């Protein structure tokens, strides 16, 4: 619990410091998650939509990935995730400029998917979609302006959500506290990282 909070708070307020790590991690995560989501939807589109509509537990979400209507569903899911992750990871290492373009597209999409399926564990579908869409739009908009600011926004939003889930679930706090804490941490994290990016700019001039 304590280790999780420390890691979450670090990436919320100082994610920009780990820029190289964030780029590689985002590449692995974005490529893998988008590929996995695409594979799941192609295999069983009705099952994915029904699960989102009706709600699910963590076990049921895990079951969607590990058991599919297709005989080799699990293998397809694992291979899809691995191929997507490794492809974008090696592009990030060998062709940074191309990776930035791909990440500008895939990172907001993967963040939206992660937020949607995570938030759906705790709240209704409409709220999950709205928050995921707003977060994806924010990440996409900032990614077009500056890579540094994009990393700050992405790390602040996702790390703040994870930290808020840890805190509210550990102490059994109400749902509104989760939203308030998430918004507050994400906002403070982005402002802190933006100030770090701004302070560093004159040294490049």
């Amino acid at each position: 619990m304590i280790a999780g909070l420390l890691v979450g708070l670090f990436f919320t307020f100082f994610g920009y410091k780990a820029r190289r790590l964030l780029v590689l991690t985002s590449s692995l995560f974005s490529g893998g998650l988008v590929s996995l989501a695409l594979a799941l939807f192609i295999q069983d589109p009705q099952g994915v939509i029904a699960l989102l509509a009706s709600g699910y537990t963590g076990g049921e979400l895990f079951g969607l990935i590990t058991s599919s209507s297709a005989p080799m569903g699990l293998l397809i899911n694992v291979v899809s995730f691995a191929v997507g992750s490794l492809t974008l990871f090696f592009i990030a290492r060998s062709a940074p400029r191309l990776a930035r373009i791909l990440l500008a597209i895939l990172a907001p999409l993967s963040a939206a998917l992660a937020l949607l399926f995570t938030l759906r564990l705790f709240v209704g579908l409409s709220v999950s979609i709205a928050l995921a869409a707003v977060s994806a739009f924010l990440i996409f908009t900032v990614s077009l302006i500056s890579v540094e600011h994009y990393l700050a926004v992405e790390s602040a939003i996702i790390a703040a959500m994870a930290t808020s889930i840890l805190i509210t679930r550990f102490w059994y706090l109400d749902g509104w506290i989760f939203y308030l804490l998430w918004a507050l941490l994400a906002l403070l994290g982005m402002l802190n990282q933006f100030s770090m990016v701004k302070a560093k700019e004159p040294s490049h001039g």
Side-chain angles (χ1 to χ4, degrees), residues 171-196:
W171 278 289
Y172 301 100
L173 302 176
D174 293 336
W176 68 270
I177 298 180
F178 162 74
Y179 293 118
L180 179 62
L181 188 61
W182 182 20
L184 183 61
L185 286 175
L187 178 61
L188 292 177
M190 283 186 283
L191 291 176
N192 183 69
Q193 294 191 61
F194 286 170
S195 67
M196 291 166 59

Tab-separated table of all heavy atoms in Angstrom, residues 171-196:
chain	number	residue	atom	x	y	z
A	171	TRP	N	-9.313	2.732	2.592
A	171	TRP	CA	-10.058	3.271	3.732
A	171	TRP	C	-11.577	3.235	3.525
A	171	TRP	O	-12.323	3.828	4.297
A	171	TRP	CB	-9.612	4.704	4.021
A	171	TRP	CG	-8.347	4.747	4.831
A	171	TRP	CD1	-8.206	4.422	6.144
A	171	TRP	CD2	-7.048	5.136	4.381
A	171	TRP	NE1	-6.901	4.583	6.541
A	171	TRP	CE2	-6.159	5.016	5.485
A	171	TRP	CE3	-6.530	5.573	3.166
A	171	TRP	CZ2	-4.805	5.322	5.401
A	171	TRP	CZ3	-5.181	5.869	3.082
A	171	TRP	CH2	-4.342	5.745	4.185
A	172	TYR	N	-12.038	2.567	2.465
A	172	TYR	CA	-13.470	2.388	2.201
A	172	TYR	C	-14.205	3.735	2.174
A	172	TYR	O	-15.242	3.917	2.820
A	172	TYR	CB	-14.102	1.467	3.252
A	172	TYR	CG	-13.483	0.099	3.309
A	172	TYR	CD1	-12.549	-0.227	4.290
A	172	TYR	CD2	-13.796	-0.883	2.375
A	172	TYR	CE1	-11.949	-1.488	4.334
A	172	TYR	CE2	-13.215	-2.145	2.409
A	172	TYR	CZ	-12.298	-2.428	3.401
A	172	TYR	OH	-11.717	-3.677	3.441
A	173	LEU	N	-13.664	4.668	1.416
A	173	LEU	CA	-14.256	6.004	1.322
A	173	LEU	C	-15.304	6.042	0.214
A	173	LEU	O	-15.323	5.203	-0.676
A	173	LEU	CB	-13.160	7.034	1.043
A	173	LEU	CG	-12.033	7.089	2.088
A	173	LEU	CD1	-10.959	8.084	1.664
A	173	LEU	CD2	-12.585	7.459	3.463
A	174	ASP	N	-16.173	7.042	0.283
A	174	ASP	CA	-17.256	7.170	-0.695
A	174	ASP	C	-16.725	7.498	-2.085
A	174	ASP	O	-15.614	8.015	-2.254
A	174	ASP	CB	-18.227	8.265	-0.259
A	174	ASP	CG	-18.974	7.885	1.015
A	174	ASP	OD1	-19.088	6.674	1.269
A	174	ASP	OD2	-19.420	8.799	1.737
A	175	GLY	N	-17.588	7.221	-3.083
A	175	GLY	CA	-17.200	7.439	-4.460
A	175	GLY	C	-16.870	8.883	-4.780
A	175	GLY	O	-15.953	9.162	-5.551
A	176	TRP	N	-17.627	9.831	-4.195
A	176	TRP	CA	-17.383	11.234	-4.509
A	176	TRP	C	-16.006	11.679	-4.033
A	176	TRP	O	-15.392	12.586	-4.625
A	176	TRP	CB	-18.466	12.124	-3.904
A	176	TRP	CG	-18.465	12.193	-2.400
A	176	TRP	CD1	-19.141	11.387	-1.534
A	176	TRP	CD2	-17.732	13.119	-1.593
A	176	TRP	NE1	-18.894	11.750	-0.232
A	176	TRP	CE2	-18.033	12.812	-0.240
A	176	TRP	CE3	-16.862	14.179	-1.876
A	176	TRP	CZ2	-17.484	13.524	0.821
A	176	TRP	CZ3	-16.322	14.892	-0.818
A	176	TRP	CH2	-16.631	14.577	0.514
A	177	ILE	N	-15.495	11.044	-2.993
A	177	ILE	CA	-14.156	11.378	-2.511
A	177	ILE	C	-13.112	10.942	-3.547
A	177	ILE	O	-12.109	11.617	-3.760
A	177	ILE	CB	-13.885	10.706	-1.146
A	177	ILE	CG1	-14.881	11.220	-0.109
A	177	ILE	CG2	-12.450	10.974	-0.690
A	177	ILE	CD1	-14.704	10.617	1.267
A	178	PHE	N	-13.366	9.791	-4.202
A	178	PHE	CA	-12.461	9.330	-5.254
A	178	PHE	C	-12.372	10.355	-6.380
A	178	PHE	O	-11.271	10.719	-6.821
A	178	PHE	CB	-12.931	7.986	-5.802
A	178	PHE	CG	-12.353	7.634	-7.150
A	178	PHE	CD1	-11.034	7.241	-7.267
A	178	PHE	CD2	-13.131	7.725	-8.299
A	178	PHE	CE1	-10.491	6.937	-8.512
A	178	PHE	CE2	-12.598	7.414	-9.537
A	178	PHE	CZ	-11.272	7.018	-9.641
A	179	TYR	N	-13.535	10.829	-6.847
A	179	TYR	CA	-13.538	11.805	-7.938
A	179	TYR	C	-12.843	13.101	-7.527
A	179	TYR	O	-12.055	13.676	-8.292
A	179	TYR	CB	-14.971	12.116	-8.369
A	179	TYR	CG	-15.680	10.966	-9.022
A	179	TYR	CD1	-16.826	10.421	-8.461
A	179	TYR	CD2	-15.193	10.408	-10.196
A	179	TYR	CE1	-17.481	9.360	-9.048
A	179	TYR	CE2	-15.841	9.339	-10.797
A	179	TYR	CZ	-16.997	8.829	-10.216
A	179	TYR	OH	-17.627	7.774	-10.802
A	180	LEU	N	-13.146	13.567	-6.326
A	180	LEU	CA	-12.546	14.808	-5.842
A	180	LEU	C	-11.034	14.663	-5.704
A	180	LEU	O	-10.270	15.538	-6.137
A	180	LEU	CB	-13.168	15.190	-4.497
A	180	LEU	CG	-12.615	16.459	-3.842
A	180	LEU	CD1	-12.875	17.667	-4.733
A	180	LEU	CD2	-13.253	16.662	-2.458
A	181	LEU	N	-10.602	13.554	-5.108
A	181	LEU	CA	-9.172	13.326	-4.904
A	181	LEU	C	-8.450	13.164	-6.232
A	181	LEU	O	-7.345	13.693	-6.426
A	181	LEU	CB	-8.978	12.087	-4.022
A	181	LEU	CG	-7.554	11.792	-3.539
A	181	LEU	CD1	-7.033	12.949	-2.699
A	181	LEU	CD2	-7.535	10.495	-2.733
A	182	TRP	N	-9.056	12.424	-7.153
A	182	TRP	CA	-8.460	12.233	-8.480
A	182	TRP	C	-8.292	13.565	-9.195
A	182	TRP	O	-7.212	13.872	-9.720
A	182	TRP	CB	-9.331	11.282	-9.299
A	182	TRP	CG	-8.801	10.968	-10.669
A	182	TRP	CD1	-7.510	11.113	-11.103
A	182	TRP	CD2	-9.537	10.464	-11.789
A	182	TRP	NE1	-7.396	10.718	-12.424
A	182	TRP	CE2	-8.617	10.318	-12.856
A	182	TRP	CE3	-10.875	10.107	-11.974
A	182	TRP	CZ2	-9.016	9.835	-14.109
A	182	TRP	CZ3	-11.270	9.631	-13.217
A	182	TRP	CH2	-10.346	9.499	-14.264
A	183	ALA	N	-9.352	14.372	-9.218
A	183	ALA	CA	-9.291	15.665	-9.896
A	183	ALA	C	-8.242	16.575	-9.256
A	183	ALA	O	-7.471	17.240	-9.956
A	183	ALA	CB	-10.665	16.327	-9.863
A	184	LEU	N	-8.205	16.584	-7.926
A	184	LEU	CA	-7.277	17.456	-7.214
A	184	LEU	C	-5.828	17.038	-7.450
A	184	LEU	O	-4.968	17.871	-7.778
A	184	LEU	CB	-7.598	17.434	-5.722
A	184	LEU	CG	-6.750	18.354	-4.832
A	184	LEU	CD1	-6.949	19.802	-5.256
A	184	LEU	CD2	-7.123	18.167	-3.369
A	185	LEU	N	-5.561	15.749	-7.301
A	185	LEU	CA	-4.199	15.256	-7.508
A	185	LEU	C	-3.741	15.452	-8.953
A	185	LEU	O	-2.599	15.856	-9.213
A	185	LEU	CB	-4.105	13.773	-7.131
A	185	LEU	CG	-4.118	13.437	-5.639
A	185	LEU	CD1	-4.136	11.921	-5.437
A	185	LEU	CD2	-2.911	14.041	-4.932
A	186	ALA	N	-4.632	15.145	-9.910
A	186	ALA	CA	-4.275	15.300	-11.323
A	186	ALA	C	-3.982	16.756	-11.652
A	186	ALA	O	-2.996	17.066	-12.339
A	186	ALA	CB	-5.390	14.762	-12.210
A	187	LEU	N	-4.816	17.659	-11.155
A	187	LEU	CA	-4.615	19.083	-11.423
A	187	LEU	C	-3.314	19.586	-10.811
A	187	LEU	O	-2.514	20.254	-11.477
A	187	LEU	CB	-5.801	19.880	-10.878
A	187	LEU	CG	-5.708	21.404	-11.039
A	187	LEU	CD1	-5.626	21.774	-12.511
A	187	LEU	CD2	-6.902	22.082	-10.375
A	188	LEU	N	-3.089	19.255	-9.542
A	188	LEU	CA	-1.863	19.692	-8.878
A	188	LEU	C	-0.636	19.065	-9.529
A	188	LEU	O	0.410	19.716	-9.674
A	188	LEU	CB	-1.917	19.325	-7.392
A	188	LEU	CG	-2.946	20.078	-6.544
A	188	LEU	CD1	-2.947	19.554	-5.117
A	188	LEU	CD2	-2.659	21.581	-6.562
A	189	GLY	N	-0.767	17.783	-9.923
A	189	GLY	CA	0.343	17.116	-10.582
A	189	GLY	C	0.702	17.761	-11.905
A	189	GLY	O	1.885	17.973	-12.212
A	190	MET	N	-0.314	18.081	-12.722
A	190	MET	CA	-0.057	18.725	-14.006
A	190	MET	C	0.558	20.107	-13.814
A	190	MET	O	1.518	20.467	-14.513
A	190	MET	CB	-1.352	18.821	-14.811
A	190	MET	CG	-1.766	17.516	-15.465
A	190	MET	SD	-3.196	17.684	-16.566
A	190	MET	CE	-4.529	17.788	-15.373
A	191	LEU	N	0.030	20.881	-12.884
A	191	LEU	CA	0.565	22.221	-12.632
A	191	LEU	C	2.016	22.155	-12.169
A	191	LEU	O	2.858	22.951	-12.602
A	191	LEU	CB	-0.293	22.941	-11.589
A	191	LEU	CG	-1.700	23.335	-12.026
A	191	LEU	CD1	-2.462	23.955	-10.865
A	191	LEU	CD2	-1.646	24.313	-13.205
A	192	ASN	N	2.314	21.188	-11.299
A	192	ASN	CA	3.684	21.052	-10.796
A	192	ASN	C	4.643	20.662	-11.925
A	192	ASN	O	5.733	21.230	-12.053
A	192	ASN	CB	3.733	19.999	-9.697
A	192	ASN	CG	5.112	19.859	-9.086
A	192	ASN	OD1	5.592	20.751	-8.394
A	192	ASN	ND2	5.771	18.746	-9.348
A	193	GLN	N	4.210	19.728	-12.761
A	193	GLN	CA	5.083	19.288	-13.852
A	193	GLN	C	5.207	20.361	-14.941
A	193	GLN	O	6.268	20.514	-15.545
A	193	GLN	CB	4.572	17.979	-14.440
A	193	GLN	CG	4.659	16.813	-13.468
A	193	GLN	CD	4.414	15.479	-14.139
A	193	GLN	OE1	5.143	15.089	-15.045
A	193	GLN	NE2	3.390	14.764	-13.700
A	194	PHE	N	4.118	21.106	-15.186
A	194	PHE	CA	4.196	22.195	-16.156
A	194	PHE	C	5.213	23.246	-15.701
A	194	PHE	O	5.955	23.809	-16.512
A	194	PHE	CB	2.825	22.857	-16.336
A	194	PHE	CG	1.854	22.039	-17.133
A	194	PHE	CD1	0.516	22.398	-17.206
A	194	PHE	CD2	2.272	20.898	-17.808
A	194	PHE	CE1	-0.387	21.644	-17.934
A	194	PHE	CE2	1.373	20.133	-18.543
A	194	PHE	CZ	0.045	20.513	-18.604
A	195	SER	N	5.222	23.523	-14.389
A	195	SER	CA	6.175	24.499	-13.864
A	195	SER	C	7.602	23.988	-13.999
A	195	SER	O	8.532	24.774	-14.252
A	195	SER	CB	5.860	24.807	-12.393
A	195	SER	OG	6.096	23.678	-11.567
A	196	MET	N	7.795	22.682	-13.869
A	196	MET	CA	9.116	22.089	-14.053
A	196	MET	C	9.570	22.208	-15.504
A	196	MET	O	10.725	22.527	-15.775
A	196	MET	CB	9.081	20.610	-13.627
A	196	MET	CG	8.897	20.399	-12.141
A	196	MET	SD	8.462	18.680	-11.743
A	196	MET	CE	9.860	17.806	-12.412
